[in-house]
């Protein structure tokens, strides 16, 4: 059973992580402050610290086999594991340090995308979060979306300083309220009998397993960078945090 520290406290930067087992790409843990790639949000990077102070970079984070654990990836594709990592085995413990600068940007972009789905209340067919920017794809027919007007609406929601909180609903409860699901491309995180809902003040409530800021004001200055036509009923809306340089 995964102990998702990144959900219970997205602001946690350091935690001791018991090793569940080794893996050709790194180590498996059940308790993790590193977010595993999913739902359009990249896996976390960071470092693990061994008892003797040795630091090993965590290159990314994914779910382990059958999604029963979390894999901290410690080697580049095709490269061998670092020597210090080869010795790690079940029963040991490492201290995880998340790359907080990157993670906090993911949290800000992720939360901003929830607000974008409030500004544009249409079915979401896809989405992606990146370092300082992100996008949602909407199933909307009419063109003529006004970038400046939408940016102003989005910024007003950010500046409204709405609290972000989580609650839980049973699978059956969610089945009874299908209108809660806005994102068609990402299945709500089911499997444990309950689904996590993320609430933003009284303006948004939807299933989500990702990481968010505590209050929308933390998003800061945000802008709609581009609106692309990706087919008859698909508009791709890209947002960016204004204080992060475009890559
Ligand atoms: Zn979310």
């Amino acid at each position: 059973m995964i102990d998702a520290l990144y959900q219970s406290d997205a602001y946690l930067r350091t935690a001791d992580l018991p090793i569940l087992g080794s893996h050709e790409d790194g180590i498996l843990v059940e308790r993790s402050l590193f977010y595993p790639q999913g739902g359009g949000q990249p896996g976390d990077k960071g470092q693990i610290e061994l008892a003797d102070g040795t630091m090993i970079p965590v290159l990314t984070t994914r779910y382990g086999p059958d999604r029963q654990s979390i894999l901290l990836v410690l080697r580049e594709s095709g490269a061998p594991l670092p020597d210090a990592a080869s010795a790690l085995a079940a029963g040991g413990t490492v201290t995880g340090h998340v790359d907080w600068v990157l993670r906090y940007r993911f949290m800000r972009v992720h939360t901003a995308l929830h607000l974008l789905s409030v500004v544009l209340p249409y079915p979401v067919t896809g989405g992606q979060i990146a370092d300082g920017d992100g996008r949602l794809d909407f199933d909307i027919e009419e063109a003529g979306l006004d970038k400046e007007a939408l940016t102003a609406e989005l910024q007003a929601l950010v500046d409204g300083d709405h609290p972000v909180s989580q609650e839980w609903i049973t699978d059956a409860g969610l089945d009874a309220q299908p209108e809660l699901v806005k994102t068609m491309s990402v299945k709500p995180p089911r499997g444990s009998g309950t689904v996590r809902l993320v609430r933003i003040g009284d303006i948004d409530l939807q299933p989500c397993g990702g990481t968010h800021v505590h209050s929308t004001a933390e998003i800061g200055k945000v802008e709609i960078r581009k609106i692309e036509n990706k087919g008859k009923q698909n508009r791709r809306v890209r947002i960016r945090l204004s204080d992060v340089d475009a890559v």
Side-chain angles (χ1 to χ4, degrees):
M1 179 83 177
I2 290 173
D3 181 5
L5 300 176
Y6 49 85
Q7 285 189 342
S8 49
D9 181 4
Y11 288 75
L12 194 63
R13 302 185 198 193
T14 295
D16 287 341
L17 311 175
I19 301 170
L20 185 67
S22 52
H23 183 280
E24 59 178 351
D25 291 331
I27 54 169
L28 299 168
V29 294
E30 278 186 311
R31 171 184 158 87
S32 179
L33 75 168
F34 296 94
Y35 178 81
Q37 177 190 349
Q41 182 171 332
D44 277 331
K45 299 174 193 281
Q47 291 181 304
I48 53 170
E49 181 180 356
L50 312 190
D52 66 0
T54 303
M55 293 285 200
I56 303 173
V58 175
L59 304 174
T60 188
T61 305
R62 302 196 298 262
Y63 279 104
D66 303 323
R67 293 173 75 98
Q68 296 300 304
S69 61
I70 288 176
L71 169 62
L72 309 183
V73 176
L74 305 177
R75 68 165 187 146
E76 302 280 0
S77 175
L81 276 177
D83 284 344
S86 307
L88 297 175
T93 297
V94 295
T95 303
H97 303 279
V98 77
D99 180 338
W100 176 248
V101 171
L102 182 62
R103 154 67 91 69
Y104 191 55
R105 286 178 183 167
F106 288 157
M107 286 160 59
R108 291 167 62 206
V109 170
H110 187 133
T111 310
L113 290 176
H114 280 247
L115 296 181
L116 183 63
S117 77
V118 175
V119 170
L120 289 169
Y122 305 101
V124 175
T125 57
Q128 187 64 48
I129 291 156
D131 181 10
D133 58 24
R135 63 168 170 84
L136 287 181
D137 295 345
F138 293 94
D139 181 358
I140 30 179
E141 196 152 2
E142 75 271 31
L145 297 176
D146 184 324
K147 213 167 65 173
E148 277 67 37
L150 291 171
T151 292
E153 278 185 62
L154 183 61
Q155 190 66 52
L157 292 179
V158 169
D159 296 343
D161 201 10
H162 301 280
V164 182
S165 58
Q166 62 172 345
E167 51 203 75
W168 298 83
I169 189 173
T170 61
D171 288 356
L174 183 61
D175 289 338
Q177 299 176 78
E179 69 278 6
L180 288 176
V181 181
K182 294 181 171 183
T183 305
M184 308 300 149
S185 58
V186 178
K187 291 249 168 31
R190 291 177 188 254
S192 56
T194 55
V195 176
R196 181 186 190 230
L197 299 178
V198 171
R199 178 184 292 280
I200 302 182
D202 57 2
I203 58 178
D204 189 47
L205 179 66
Q206 59 179 299
C208 188
T211 59
H212 311 82
V213 291
H214 279 325
S215 166
T216 61
E218 291 183 48
I219 295 166
K221 192 110 172 53
V222 66
E223 62 185 324
I224 292 178
R225 190 160 63 85
K226 204 185 268 185
I227 300 173
E228 296 168 291
N229 188 343
K230 288 285 176 185
K232 188 166 175 283
Q233 288 194 312
N234 196 0
R235 296 291 179 277
R236 174 164 293 176
V237 182
R238 296 183 181 277
I239 66 166
R240 183 171 66 197
L241 303 177
S242 303
D243 63 344
V244 178
D245 290 336
V247 181

